Amino acid sequence: MARKRGRGLSAVNYPTGMNLGGDPSQALVHATTTGTFVVSLSSVDLGQGLKTVMTQICAETIGVPPDMVLIDTADTDTGPHCMGTFASRGTHRIGNAIVMAANEARAVLMEVAADELEVNATDLEADGKGAIHVKGAPTKSISVIETALAAHFKHGKTISGRGMFMAERSYPEPETGKMRPATCYAHACTIAEVEVDTETGEVEVLSLKSAYEVGRALNPKMVEQQIIGGAWMGISHALYETTEPYYPDRAHGPVDFNEYLMPGPGDLPEFGGVILERPASDGPYGAKGVGEMTANSPIPAIANAIFDAVGVRVDSLPITPEKVLRGILANEGALEPAE
């Protein structure tokens, strides 16, 4: 028995969103009487942290602390339209819609504060801590809560805003087929190191090191978590997970998640990630999509590392020990290559 090591490289160019159909998302923002800004969405948080990032975007745009923002992910009956949570579109599409809605709400907030302070709205700025003050004169101020109360009970105004972001659709040029399928692209590069058992075909991933260009990391810690979580998922797609076909027949397939094969904590390698920021011109505060591509780039890197280790090129997933061993035996002339 021998255990051979190999390294593999992959590079990914990942489009944000689904642009060929317009890909719109809407957001509504309104202030309660106590100055809490409620963001209404039909967008779903799948656990990737959408609510946290949307809170940050709204708070930054209006100029209030994040604890004064409440995200209400309603449903398709009561919430504004959203195409969905997929294609790494959440931060970019929904974030842009929130920026638009928050800016509209902020304008009303400043109008009411200006009336209360007897100044022009253009002379005011929010301090990000819950107060609005005159530029250059921080002692002349009014709290956001007081402003919201005045809007509702004194001025009869609703501090609210609407936002909708939709990427302009690109149509192919009839002569060349040239088009712009995406408005911005994120990028990734992964280096995988593996060890292959030449007697069993078993593959162990020793390390995954990646660099991700994400536009701007609005929440760096959450981006790091997505990189690690995506790498785990990439390993699972590359080496473990399958639905069809089962071998030698479907009776051998899992019947529940207790039997579904995927890597556990003991199967995880050393992770490393570098975040690169190149702000997107049309992203909210320069952000692009980062979610899905974190699971994409590890897969070809692992496949290339296996090839580097034992000279076996497997082009179907998952890369099981049986496939690897058959490739090794075929290379040695001990087995006919599988058709």
Side-chain angles (χ1 to χ4, degrees), residues 145-326:
I145 294 175
E146 291 173 316
T147 306
L149 287 167
H152 283 85
F153 298 110
K154 182 177 178 181
H155 298 273
K157 290 186 177 182
T158 299
I159 301 174
S160 61
R162 302 156 297 172
M164 176 173 179
F165 180 81
M166 183 170 67
E168 182 179 354
R169 185 171 180 178
S170 175
Y171 292 89
E173 295 179 359
E175 297 80 9
T176 64
K178 180 182 178 182
M179 64 177 302
R180 188 185 184 195
T183 59
C184 67
Y185 293 84
H187 306 86
C189 180
T190 296
I191 297 175
E193 185 177 6
V194 305
E195 191 171 75
V196 182
D197 187 324
T198 59
E199 185 174 292
T200 65
E202 184 180 2
V203 177
E204 180 183 0
V205 181
L206 302 177
S207 70
L208 284 175
K209 307 292 179 63
S210 299
Y212 286 91
E213 188 277 299
V214 300
R216 177 165 290 167
L218 302 185
N219 190 309
K221 281 297 179 184
M222 289 178 62
V223 173
E224 291 175 13
Q225 290 168 359
Q226 288 206 329
I227 289 173
I228 295 174
W232 187 341
M233 185 178 291
I235 295 170
S236 193
H237 285 324
L239 302 177
Y240 294 84
E241 293 188 68
T242 185
T243 54
E244 294 286 356
Y246 295 116
Y247 180 83
D249 61 52
R250 297 187 69 179
H252 291 262
V255 297
D256 55 36
F257 283 110
N258 288 323
E259 297 181 2
Y260 187 77
L261 189 62
M262 60 188 300
D267 302 306
L268 298 186
E270 176 188 358
F271 290 121
V274 175
I275 299 171
L276 305 175
E277 295 184 304
R278 300 290 186 274
S281 60
D282 68 343
Y285 300 101
K288 301 177 182 178
V290 62
E292 284 187 24
M293 74 172 180
T294 60
N296 293 345
S297 62
I299 298 172
I302 292 170
N304 288 335
I306 293 170
F307 179 77
D308 182 55
V310 293
V312 173
R313 177 65 71 190
V314 181
D315 57 7
S316 63
L317 298 179
I319 305 173
T320 61
E322 178 184 358
K323 293 178 183 178
V324 176
L325 185 58
R326 283 182 177 275

Side-chain angles (χ1 to χ4, degrees), residues 4 10 37 47 52 79 88 117 119 122 140 160 170 173 186 195 238 260 297 314 320 328 333:
K4 295 186 176 181
S10 69
F37 286 85
T52 299
S88 301
L117 295 173
V119 297
T122 55
K140 189 173 184 180
S160 61
S170 175
E173 295 179 359
E195 191 171 75
Y260 187 77
S297 62
V314 181
T320 61
I328 292 172

Side-chain angles (χ1 to χ4, degrees), residues 55-121:
T55 296
Q56 290 180 237
I57 290 173
C58 182
E60 179 70 20
T61 304
I62 295 175
V64 295
D67 60 8
M68 293 184 70
V69 176
L70 173 67
I71 304 296
D72 176 21
T73 51
D75 55 39
T76 53
D77 284 334
T78 60
H81 174 72
C82 180
M83 283 293 288
T85 303
F86 58 89
S88 301
R89 66 186 297 280
T91 296
H92 188 274
R93 301 296 195 266
I94 304 159
N96 273 324
I98 289 176
V99 168
M100 296 176 186
N103 273 324
E104 190 172 290
R106 183 182 185 279
V108 181
L109 178 73
M110 292 303 178
E111 288 174 7
V112 175
D115 288 341
E116 290 295 295
L117 295 173
E118 298 181 340
V119 297
N120 293 323

